Amino acid sequence: MENIGVIVSFLLRVAEPVMALIIVILCFSSLRGGRREEHALVVLDDDSRKVSYPVLFWENSIGRSKGSDIVINDPAVSKDHAVLLRRKDGWFITDTGSKSGVLVNGEETVGRCALAIGDIINIGDTRLVLRRSLTAANRPGSTKENKRIPGPVILGLISIYVMMMLLQAVINMGNTFALVPAMGFIAFMFISYALSYNIFKRRDFELEALAFLLSGTGIMLAATHNTDTHQAYVQLAATIIGMVIYSFMIWFIEIPDRVMKWHIIISVGAILLLASSLVLGKELHGAKNWIVLGPITIQPSEIAKIAYIFVGASTLDVLQTKKSLTEFIIVSAISVGLLVLMSDFGTAVICFVTFLIISFMRSGDIKTVILAVTAAILGVVIMLSVKPYIADRFAVWGHVWDYADSTGYQQVNSLIYSASGGLFGLGLSKGYLQNLFASENDLVFCLMCEEIGLIIPVIIAGVIGGLMLYARGVTTRSRSTFYSIAACSAAGLLVFQSALNIFGVTDILPLTGVTLPFVSYGGSSMVSCWGLLAFIKAADERTYLHRHKKSKKPEKENKTSNTAVET
């Protein structure tokens, strides 16, 4: 009987990575297949020159610069002259500080000016007419959405994957401690899909499924980490809270202009969140970044990551009108400074890299990035001279075997135990690494390698990397530069944080003590990851497509009205 259990456990360990790979392939192929073809939403016709400018995006820069979305070769046109943008109420144009201004139907514009089909727009000496696109894809009823994998199918496969891990845990542990959190997690997945499909009218669920795949793996690791499954319940509760925040954020950022109105409040809130750790925080594991409220511990720096991206992202008309990065630089400097004072250097580095991504996307100027990196290097040199004990933390980097009995103890044992797992692992709860401090969060990548094998951790790393590629792909179709900047910076943050975790524990980079997104134990981290995923989800215009279609009323051709144009 014991031999049968060993065989079944091995077969499950072989089947789990196969199932995980199938789920990942289906999700990303479905995401790719669901894209709409890029076509003109409207056109700007220059009748005198017999030139037609297709408008492909929701926000379009107009100017003489070759970097503009709509390039007009007219000496009277400024390099960055105006922004043509679409909102729920229709099309608008904004003069972004040009020399000759923008006229609509002969009247000079101030701020955002509403447009209707047939309006005449004068930019410099160029006369443009806003007209509907005549492409077949833009005619009502002609847009066809490509087939996508139904959400219940993918969730069913994830359920099988979790059940495999549960059965393996029962065989290995000889008890059913993991049954309740596993069943609770599966039930929550389907409830989330039902709410998303029926209440929020979202037809796609691939991003959520990928997050559930990762978080489900983390919950099952936590459920087998000790016999009281306390960590598994914390992870499950954090996943539920994270999903609530995820849904709220998608609703909140549906209207970019609403986000911009809250911009200052969010900036102040981000700083206050970090400052609260210094005032109310308790030092745990060398960093004063935890607030203890009875049995609950909260890490404000994790939540501040979400607010930080809100601060950095912006709409195109705001960026082009106010190109200064002063406000964002000030908030970034204060945020990084507070994190350094807390000794939370891992999050400080993540925050700084996110700053570089946002700065480059806002300005498009590599000089800004070089200047920021130079200033950061100078700051590190000063910090190491003032606080030399910090340098001692990095002395072990690249030499963990020389410090195997002291500061390199965790990494040396992590490397040894992870290598013993092979491709398919020793089995859940069968590893020795779980007895090491922080194995469930900082060292979770090696814990997975030991207990469930190398293949699944590599797949998980691939999923997080794939989120970056997906975010980059959907930004060209985003409804606003706010979504483009927010999605790319959120995905970049997740990728860089994962790199710090994986390469830190394997001694390729210094060990900074950051979590592996969605997998590591930690409620604040889980909530933060779902919040960051919301930025990536909102960047895809299909997120709001079906809800808008249902609520949309038939439009009348009225040249004097602010006519919305179908997509």
Side-chain angles (χ1 to χ4, degrees):
M1 193 70 178
E2 184 178 348
N3 291 334
I4 294 177
V6 171
I7 294 172
V8 171
S9 178
F10 174 75
L11 292 176
L12 289 171
R13 298 201 307 274
V14 173
E16 285 162 11
V18 174
M19 181 61 69
L21 185 60
I22 291 173
I23 293 167
V24 171
I25 292 174
L26 287 177
C27 285
F28 279 112
S29 62
S30 184
L31 284 170
R32 182 177 179 83
R35 294 180 182 178
R36 72 166 173 86
E37 294 182 2
E38 192 171 88
H39 55 76
L41 304 175
V42 289
V43 293
L44 291 172
D45 287 332
D46 183 349
D47 294 333
S48 61
R49 297 183 180 136
K50 305 297 182 184
V51 177
S52 182
Y53 301 97
V55 178
L56 301 176
F57 313 118
W58 289 65
E59 292 182 349
N60 308 264
S61 57
I62 303 176
R64 201 175 70 253
S65 170
K66 292 182 179 179
S68 298
D69 297 314
I70 299 173
V71 181
I72 299 179
N73 295 317
D74 179 351
V77 174
S78 300
K79 288 185 177 180
D80 299 306
H81 199 106
V83 169
L84 176 67
L85 67 157
R86 179 183 174 177
R87 290 293 180 261
K88 185 178 180 180
D89 298 328
W91 288 93
F92 297 83
I93 193 166
T94 303
D95 179 7
T96 54
S98 65
K99 294 181 179 179
S100 57
V102 175
L103 279 70
V104 175
N105 297 328
E107 297 183 6
E108 188 171 357
T109 62
V110 178
R112 282 188 184 177
C113 178
L115 297 174
I117 297 300
D119 278 350
I120 299 173
I121 306 168
N122 289 94
I123 298 178
D125 295 330
T126 302
R127 180 179 181 274
L128 302 171
V129 182
L130 181 68
R131 294 194 172 107
R132 293 184 184 276
S133 171
L134 298 179
T135 57
N138 199 36
R139 293 171 186 162
S142 64
T143 301
K144 293 183 179 180
E145 189 174 356
N146 295 330
K147 291 183 178 180
R148 307 179 74 166
I149 306 297
V153 172
I154 297 177
L155 294 186
L157 294 177
I158 296 176
S159 299
I160 296 173
Y161 169 78
V162 172
M163 291 296 293
M164 286 179 178
M165 298 186 80
L166 174 61
L167 181 56
Q168 184 190 151
V170 171
I171 294 173
N172 294 340
M173 299 174 67
N175 56 56
T176 57
F177 284 120
L179 179 62
V180 175
M183 293 297 98
F185 174 74
I186 292 173
F188 176 68
M189 283 196 306
F190 283 96
I191 291 172
S192 298
Y193 175 77
L195 292 174
S196 177
Y197 189 90
N198 296 299
I199 304 299
F200 302 114
K201 308 303 177 185
R202 301 186 198 122
R203 297 297 179 262
D204 55 314
F205 207 71
E206 297 92 343
L207 275 183
E208 293 89 338
L210 289 169
F212 278 133
L213 175 66
L214 271 58
S215 56
T217 302
I219 288 173
M220 293 310 298
L221 283 172
T224 57
H225 192 266
N226 50 56
T227 55
D228 62 8
T229 64
H230 166 74
Q231 293 182 351
Y233 290 121
V234 170
Q235 287 297 88
L236 179 58
T239 302
I240 295 172
I241 295 172
M243 191 62 171
V244 172
I245 292 177
Y246 170 84
S247 299
F248 170 78
M249 283 184 56
I250 292 177
W251 167 82
F252 181 69
I253 61 182
E254 178 181 0
I255 304 173
D257 295 334
R258 175 166 56 200
V259 179
M260 300 314 298
K261 290 179 181 178
W262 285 79
H263 197 257
I264 300 298
I265 296 176
I266 295 173
S267 302
V268 175
I271 294 174
L272 291 178
L273 267 175
L274 294 175
S276 66
S277 292
L278 285 176
V279 179
L280 306 173
K282 179 180 179 181
E283 185 171 333
L284 294 174
H285 315 313
K288 192 178 181 181
N289 58 350
W290 296 89
I291 293 179
V292 180
L293 302 173
I296 300 174
T297 57
I298 301 173
Q299 195 172 4
S301 59
E302 290 290 341
I303 310 303
K305 292 176 185 176
I306 302 173
Y308 184 67
I309 292 178
F310 269 118
V311 175
S314 189
T315 56
L316 184 60
D317 56 338
V318 173
L319 289 179
Q320 198 159 296
T321 303
K322 183 183 177 183
K323 292 184 178 180
S324 173
L325 291 171
T326 304
E327 176 190 335
F328 180 53
I329 291 173
I330 292 173
V331 173
S332 300
I334 295 174
S335 299
V336 173
L338 289 171
L339 289 167
V340 170
L341 290 175
M342 298 175 210
S343 296
D344 189 355
F345 302 108
T347 306
V349 173
I350 292 170
C351 186
F352 177 70
V353 170
T354 306
F355 164 78
L356 295 181
I357 295 173
I358 295 176
S359 297
F360 180 73
M361 293 192 69
R362 283 177 63 115
S363 66
D365 186 6
I366 193 65
K367 295 178 182 178
T368 303
V369 176
I370 294 174
L371 180 63
V373 172
T374 303
I377 293 174
L378 179 62
V380 170
V381 172
I382 295 173
M383 182 179 63
L384 292 177
S385 62
V386 175
K387 297 183 177 182
Y389 71 90
I390 297 176
D392 296 337
R393 297 186 180 184
F394 294 94
V396 70
W397 176 30
H399 305 87
V400 292
W401 298 99
D402 298 333
Y403 298 86
D405 296 327
S406 56
T407 51
Y409 179 81
Q410 279 184 303
Q411 288 166 287
V412 166
N413 281 275
S414 296
L415 292 171
I416 293 173
Y417 292 141
S418 61
S420 67
L423 291 177
F424 305 111
L426 302 177
L428 285 173
S429 79
K430 290 290 187 180
Y432 296 96
L433 189 58
Q434 63 175 315
N435 299 315
L436 206 62
F437 174 73
S439 61
E440 72 279 13
N441 39 51
D442 298 353
L443 312 178
V444 73
F445 182 82
C446 289
L447 178 65
M448 286 191 293
C449 289
E450 182 187 22
E451 296 195 354
I452 57 180
L454 178 64
I455 299 177
I456 290 181
V458 170
I459 291 174
I460 288 174
V463 168
I464 297 173
L467 290 178
M468 184 69 207
L469 297 177
Y470 171 73
R472 174 62 185 86
V474 298
T475 51
T476 58
R477 296 171 174 83
S478 291
R479 300 182 301 135
S480 170
T481 53
F482 170 83
Y483 297 118
S484 300
I485 295 173
C488 285
S489 55
L493 189 157
L494 291 172
V495 169
F496 185 71
Q497 180 171 322
S498 301
L500 285 181
N501 179 278
I502 296 170
F503 297 143
V505 75
T506 53
D507 199 33
I508 297 174
L509 292 174
L511 183 63
T512 52
V514 298
T515 57
L516 183 62
F518 293 104
V519 181
S520 289
Y521 171 68
S524 299
S525 175
M526 179 68 78
V527 171
S528 172
C529 290
W530 278 101
L532 294 171
L533 189 69
F535 290 118
I536 304 174
K537 179 77 172 182
D540 191 339
E541 63 178 0
R542 297 166 296 184
T543 299
Y544 306 104
L545 180 63
H546 290 277
R547 192 157 64 85
H548 286 172
K549 280 184 176 181
K550 185 174 181 179
S551 62
K552 190 173 181 180
K553 297 179 180 179
E555 298 169 0
K556 296 181 180 180
E557 279 287 338
N558 186 346
K559 192 175 180 179
T560 62
S561 66
N562 184 24
T563 307
V565 183
E566 300 94 339
T567 57

